[in-house]
Amino acid sequence: MAQAAAVAKPPAPPRRRRASATPRRLPYLLIAPAALLMLGFIAYPVISVFYYSLQNYNPTKPWRNGYAGFDNFVHAFTEDPQFWQTLTFSAKWVVVEVGLQLLFGLALALIVNQTFVGRGLGRALVFSPWAVSGVLTSAIWVLLYNSQTGITRYLADLGIGSYGTSWLSDTSTVFPAAVVADLWRGVPFFAILILADLQSVSKDLYEAAEVDGASRLKQFWHITLPHLKDAIVLSTLLRMVWEFNNVDLLYTLTGGGPAGETTTLPLYIANTSVDAHNFGYASALTTVAFAILLFCSIAYLRLSKFGGETK
């Protein structure tokens, strides 16, 4: 009996129940409809643009349709002076708009971050232009710039300028007039994001700086700005992309004129595709614009060290 007990094997451990695969797949099943919609409404149009950029495709001239290779890109870079003109203006538009919007947005955020009577109402008035669409914004400013009933009429009554002057039809004034109109709508975006980040700055830092004798300027430079770095980088990047793709405001405000002075690359693409029906060449221009935005965005994030520690 002792030998039998010694030779007896220990009881086998209880078998673990196999985990069901359904709970693990459930999250993927839940996001599958949204993923399919994204593929349908985003991936497919993007792939189509890349495809048509290699084609000659104009529904009004079907006998010319067919594979073009890189001819559309060669034509854009070597034979189309309007491409370089619109690209240059797009860069100018982005730099001026984003720079001024950041400057005024930061100033507004610092002002409404202070404690004063009616601060809630003041914040609402500052942020309200951001809720207005680009087309409605341009309609408002078209009325303000109207030569008969707008700003120029009242300035002429004061002896400044002459009657019948239209800032939107003069090549020397159309750019600053368009910049002011877009500033009215774009500044609140920066103010909103920067103000939200300002709320998280610890007041103890400012109190310690005051004890050490730091001035308001030094507190802003060494405490406020480093804390706002990521918010400024992110908001600036978003506005750079949006301003580069700005079509609605400029199209409604100036139509790209006068004499093409305010035609951005996306507006040129829209005119090429919608008005000229040259969808192949417009797709090639869109691909170039996509490559420019992708390169500039990556370079900007690398140079700004977004997400890194602030020294």
Side-chain angles (χ1 to χ4, degrees), residues 31-68:
I31 66 173
L36 292 175
L37 287 175
M38 291 182 64
L39 287 175
F41 289 98
I42 297 178
Y44 175 74
V46 170
I47 295 173
S48 297
V49 168
F50 290 150
Y51 170 76
Y52 284 113
S53 67
L54 303 175
Q55 306 288 324
N56 286 322
Y57 182 64
N58 190 331
T60 62
K61 300 176 181 178
W63 60 88
R64 294 185 180 180
N65 294 346
Y67 181 72

Side-chain angles (χ1 to χ4, degrees), residues 2-3 54 62 83 95 104 112 116 141 179 195 199 243 255 264 300:
Q3 292 180 354
L54 303 175
F83 165 74
V95 171
F104 289 114
V112 297
F116 55 89
W141 285 92
V179 166
L195 177 63
Q199 303 296 309
E243 290 297 343
T264 59
Y300 179 70

Side-chain angles (χ1 to χ4, degrees), residues 76-310:
F77 285 103
T78 61
E79 302 174 5
D80 187 3
Q82 194 169 0
F83 165 74
W84 292 106
Q85 179 183 347
T86 56
L87 183 60
T88 302
F89 177 76
S90 297
K92 176 183 176 182
W93 174 262
V94 170
V95 171
V96 173
E97 275 293 340
V98 175
L100 291 178
Q101 288 178 20
L102 173 60
L103 181 63
F104 289 114
L106 177 60
L108 272 179
L110 292 173
I111 291 173
V112 297
N113 189 46
Q114 304 298 318
T115 302
F116 55 89
V117 178
R119 184 174 66 172
L121 178 61
R123 289 180 176 180
L125 293 175
V126 167
F127 301 151
S128 58
W130 178 244
V132 182
S133 67
V135 175
L136 183 56
T137 298
S138 57
I140 294 172
W141 285 92
V142 164
L143 294 175
L144 289 175
Y145 290 145
N146 187 281
S147 59
Q148 302 299 324
T149 59
I151 299 174
T152 55
R153 166 68 183 274
Y154 293 100
L155 291 177
D157 291 340
L158 297 174
I160 303 174
S162 57
Y163 291 99
T165 302
S166 177
W167 290 347
L168 297 178
S169 59
D170 190 341
T171 56
S172 62
T173 58
V174 63
F175 179 73
V179 166
V180 171
D182 198 46
L183 279 177
W184 179 78
R185 180 169 178 255
V187 167
F189 172 78
F190 280 97
I192 293 170
L193 289 185
I194 294 175
L195 177 63
D197 210 25
L198 280 173
Q199 303 296 309
S200 61
V201 181
S202 176
K203 295 182 180 180
D204 295 338
L205 296 175
Y206 294 104
E207 293 176 357
E210 289 181 359
V211 171
D212 293 337
S215 62
R216 287 291 185 91
L217 181 60
K218 289 184 177 180
Q219 293 178 29
F220 172 76
W221 187 259
H222 295 285
I223 299 176
T224 307
L225 270 185
H227 186 86
L228 297 177
K229 173 182 173 269
D230 285 347
I232 290 176
V233 171
L234 179 60
S235 58
T236 303
L237 177 61
L238 291 175
R239 288 306 293 173
M240 285 170 58
V241 175
W242 294 342
E243 290 297 343
F244 184 88
N245 291 322
N246 192 328
V247 173
D248 53 355
L249 185 138
L250 287 175
Y251 181 81
T252 311
L253 195 65
T254 66
E261 287 290 326
T262 58
T263 301
T264 59
L265 181 57
L267 185 55
Y268 178 46
I269 293 172
N271 293 334
T272 302
S273 58
V274 177
D275 296 338
H277 305 289
N278 193 350
F279 294 99
Y281 186 55
S283 298
L285 294 177
T286 303
T287 303
V288 173
F290 171 78
I292 292 174
L293 284 178
L294 181 62
F295 173 79
C296 292
S297 299
I298 295 175
Y300 179 70
L301 290 176
R302 291 289 183 88
L303 293 175
S304 63
K305 299 179 180 178
F306 177 71
E309 295 183 0
T310 305

